Amino acid sequence: MNQTARRLAITAGEPAGIGPDLVLRLGACEGNTRRVVLCDRDLLRQRAAMLGLSPQLCDYRPDLAPPPGSIEVLHLPLAAPCEAGRLDPANAGYVLAMLDRAIAGCQSGEFDAMVTAPVHKGVINDAGVPFTGHTEYLADKTGTSRVVMMLEGGGLRVALTTTHLPLRAVADALSQADLEQVIRILHQSLISRYGIAAPRILVAGLNPHAGEGGHMGREEIDIIIPVLNALRAQGMHLIGPLPADTLFNPENLAHADAVLAMFHDQGLPVLKYASFGHGVNITLGLPLLRTSVDHGTALDLAGSGRASHGSLFEAVRLAERLSARA
């Protein structure tokens, strides 16, 4: 691998979770990019000893290609000692510093994409930092007014109109303007990121039976259908609104490039059933490319050797494929 190869910034996530365990396995993930792990070097050595691993770690130098089989580490120091499985709000700033460094590197062109291991929202909030998730944080830091969360796996792509909201707040959060913006971002991303010339998107209704003609809710009539009709008139291939309980059938999916769900747990249970442990989260609409794992910090597995690296490897491979199109 030469020093001009594309570079991925890979943040190791919550230090007490399985993120450090997973990035230590990257030496076994074949690919054609430089994978630069943003983490505390000593934490990686400590976790490697717990796992019985002997990875070849080398310091990241932009102008110098790493030795074959090694893991490049961009060292960022922990704020406090870390014990596997035990959260410490003192390290919340360290977690955010990894993200900030990866964002800065992508914006400057130093990195071609970023891949994120899981963070723990609760402990960041416990440190007094308002934090609702990677997606929202990246949007704020890049000055992006609207982003779209999409997960890919098991042959599916599922995007979300709303993300981390209580269920009772979802209907109030839907509007024609927001839905139109989400569909435009999804449609354009399928073209620019995936190279799909004329994307076909299945759109779920919000209510059971897609509202059943207004008898089970009017969001389909008042919000979703008018937006779909307007965008169809502009040439978009949109199918729906479809009842969510029958949307994910093979006949429908055979003719679709992506599904748009109205809320988090409407579409993601199906995707995670089809791909658990190998799904990938991608943030659409950002001025940079970001992929992530589809799981959490799994504190009970940290340092045990039982954490699956499948989703991280898939996130790296997807970032490689999509960054190659840039």
Side-chain angles (χ1 to χ4, degrees), residues 286-301:
L286 291 171
L288 54 86
L289 174 60
R290 176 256 176 166
T291 66
S292 185
V293 296
D294 71 345
H295 56 74
T297 53
L299 297 170
D300 57 321
L301 298 181

Side-chain angles (χ1 to χ4, degrees), residues 179-180 183-184 226-236 238:
L179 179 60
E180 178 179 343
I183 294 175
R184 289 189 183 279
V227 170
L228 298 187
N229 285 340
L231 294 178
R232 288 188 192 108
Q234 297 176 27
M236 292 191 194
L238 307 171

Side-chain angles (χ1 to χ4, degrees), residues 121-203:
K121 302 179 186 70
V123 75
I124 297 174
N125 283 290
D126 288 344
V129 180
F131 185 86
T132 56
H134 272 119
T135 302
E136 296 82 359
Y137 188 82
L138 292 169
D140 179 66
K141 286 294 182 177
T142 59
T144 307
S145 60
R146 185 62 186 248
V147 294
V148 175
M149 178 188 293
M150 184 174 80
L151 272 76
E152 176 174 328
L156 302 173
R157 299 187 189 102
V158 178
L160 304 178
T161 304
T162 63
T163 53
H164 301 120
L165 291 177
L167 188 56
R168 68 171 60 249
V170 170
D172 289 340
L174 287 177
S175 71
Q176 288 192 17
D178 283 347
L179 179 60
E180 178 179 343
Q181 194 173 20
V182 168
I183 294 175
R184 289 189 183 279
I185 291 171
L186 173 58
H187 185 266
Q188 181 56 38
S189 297
L190 291 170
I191 295 172
S192 61
R193 293 289 191 196
Y194 287 85
I196 302 170
R200 298 162 298 176
I201 301 170
L202 303 181
V203 181

